[in-house]
Amino acid sequence: MDLNVADVDVAQLGTLGFWMDKPLRVAVILIGGFLLNLLVRIVIRRMSTKIANGETAKLEKLDADAIGKNIKDPRYWLMQDSPIAAVRRAQRAQTIGSVLRSIATVVIGVMTILMVMTELGFDLGPLLASAGIAGVAIGFGAQTLVKDYLSGLFMVAEDQYGIGDVVDLGEASGTVESVGLRVTQVRAVDGTLWHVRNGEILRVGNSSQGWARAVLDIPVPYDADVEKVSDLILSSAKDLRADPDYRRLILDDPEIWGVEALTGESVVIRLAIRTKPLEQWGVARAMRARLKGDLDRAGLRIPLLNQTVIKDGSPVLVPAGSESHADASADASAGTPDESRQAKQ
């Protein structure tokens, strides 16, 4: 029987058969929707808690002696074991859990309302048709917004970056100040605050996850003994690692990767130092300062480029490092203004 107020006799309201029909089904639908929503929210909350309290990655001990002595080797992925990682996991789990609970509540609520309206005898055909047309129109108009939110959700879920990370997002690079489901805010080195839509981010370069590496290309004179200079550079890097101020920042023994380039003036030797995240730039600056002193004490100089000096209308090539190099530079500086402007390095 259809529940029509005009056809309902007041006397029927007191009968058991009336309450056991549509009112009972409506009550069951409402209670079932409430319980289902509660159950889904509990499951999502437990999953979020499990993500937030994720098991700490075991420290990988790379030295056999350290393993035998149960001593933690400093060469491991720091981000999985740091307090920052725990906070980021908790924030990520909280964000994802909040979004999923909201979606579940909306979906279950709409389904419950539609089922109740069906039981009450409402014709949902025109309503669903109108909703479908409106949904298609809104979908075309808001597809960019949906793309931003979906991209933001996956970025948060995959922990591609977080607040405080130094990232390269293509057009914008700098320190992340805010991570939202639609927009990410990045502060550049010059202070510019970039607002980047998540749907427009095609790649993410994160300098803050796991570990970093300071890579230095050091030019030395072409006629220098490469092996001896490499030993000197490596010794200087090891001294830096032994420094108490940098011992905790450098994770591994420095490495000489060999000759990176050859030019007419110099041989370029590459040095690599693995560091904690975001410490590679400070370590590189300290390494350059220390290496400058060590090279000076060894009598080595960073080679100068060859100079072409225009004198008396004729070009004269003065090789770098030759005895006349300084004299040629002085002559070029002491020449006429036109000649001085033509002297180039």
Side-chain angles (χ1 to χ4, degrees):
M1 98 183 151
D2 294 334
L3 185 61
N4 193 331
V5 178
D7 299 334
V8 175
D9 190 354
V10 178
Q12 294 180 352
L13 297 177
T15 62
L16 181 62
F18 173 81
W19 293 106
M20 292 297 293
D21 193 17
K22 289 186 179 293
L24 178 61
R25 292 201 294 268
V26 170
V28 170
I29 293 173
L30 292 175
I31 295 175
F34 174 78
L35 294 178
L36 178 61
N37 184 35
L38 181 62
L39 178 62
V40 171
R41 293 174 71 90
I42 291 175
V43 172
I44 294 175
R45 186 177 293 108
R46 289 185 177 180
M47 291 177 58
S48 302
T49 303
K50 187 175 181 180
I51 294 175
N53 299 330
E55 295 183 0
T56 301
K58 295 181 179 179
L59 303 183
E60 181 182 2
K61 304 175 182 63
L62 304 179
D63 186 8
D65 295 336
I67 294 176
K69 299 178 182 178
N70 196 25
I71 299 175
K72 293 181 180 180
D73 192 284
R75 294 171 287 179
Y76 58 85
W77 291 71
L78 293 176
M79 290 302 293
Q80 278 81 359
D81 303 281
S82 66
I84 298 177
V87 174
R88 286 179 57 167
R89 282 197 303 267
Q91 293 176 346
R92 188 168 71 252
Q94 182 180 1
T95 302
I96 297 174
S98 176
V99 173
L100 293 180
R101 286 194 297 270
S102 299
I103 294 175
T105 300
V106 171
V107 172
I108 295 175
V110 171
M111 293 178 59
T112 302
I113 293 174
L114 293 178
M115 293 175 67
V116 169
M117 293 178 66
T118 302
E119 288 295 331
L120 295 179
F122 289 94
D123 185 9
L124 299 181
L127 178 63
L128 294 178
S130 302
I133 296 174
V136 171
I138 294 175
F140 277 111
Q143 56 182 339
T144 302
L145 184 64
V146 174
K147 179 182 177 182
D148 293 339
Y149 275 102
L150 289 178
S151 299
L153 181 61
F154 281 110
M155 287 177 183
V156 173
E158 296 170 359
D159 193 26
Q160 296 182 14
Y161 53 79
I163 296 176
D165 285 354
V166 176
V167 298
D168 181 358
L169 303 182
E171 294 296 330
S173 61
T175 304
V176 178
E177 290 196 352
S178 175
V179 179
L181 292 181
R182 193 181 72 86
V183 174
T184 296
Q185 296 180 357
V186 178
R187 180 78 64 176
V189 176
D190 60 0
T192 302
L193 182 63
W194 292 93
H195 299 263
V196 185
R197 287 175 34 226
N198 294 330
E200 297 297 321
I201 299 176
L202 301 180
R203 63 174 177 83
V204 177
N206 195 327
S207 302
S208 310
Q209 288 183 336
W211 49 271
R213 179 177 283 128
V215 179
L216 291 85
D217 290 334
I218 304 154
V220 297
Y222 190 86
D223 57 353
D225 189 324
V226 174
E227 184 176 353
K228 290 183 179 180
V229 175
S230 299
D231 292 340
L232 174 63
I233 296 174
L234 186 60
S235 175
S236 180
K238 289 181 178 180
D239 290 342
L240 179 67
R241 190 190 182 194
D243 191 317
D245 295 334
Y246 296 94
R247 184 182 305 161
R248 299 176 59 86
L249 305 181
I250 300 176
L251 304 180
D252 208 345
D253 290 334
E255 298 177 344
I256 293 291
W257 284 0
V259 177
E260 182 63 21
L262 286 174
T263 67
E265 295 84 19
S266 64
V267 177
V268 179
I269 299 176
R270 174 161 290 187
L271 170 69
I273 306 174
R274 198 155 69 111
T275 70
K276 286 185 177 182
L278 302 182
E279 300 293 343
Q280 62 269 35
W281 301 294
V283 170
R285 287 190 291 268
M287 184 65 227
R288 293 188 187 99
R290 181 179 292 268
L291 188 59
K292 170 65 168 59
D294 292 342
L295 290 177
D296 286 344
R297 284 188 289 272
L300 295 174
R301 297 291 184 269
I302 300 298
L304 299 175
L305 298 177
N306 292 332
Q307 286 187 344
T308 301
V309 179
I310 307 299
K311 189 174 183 179
D312 297 331
S314 301
V316 178
L317 177 64
V318 182
S322 64
E323 296 179 356
S324 59
H325 186 275
D327 296 336
S329 300
D331 292 342
S333 300
T336 64
D338 293 337
E339 293 174 344
S340 300
R341 282 194 295 269
Q342 290 175 345
K344 61 180 180 178
Q345 183 173 358

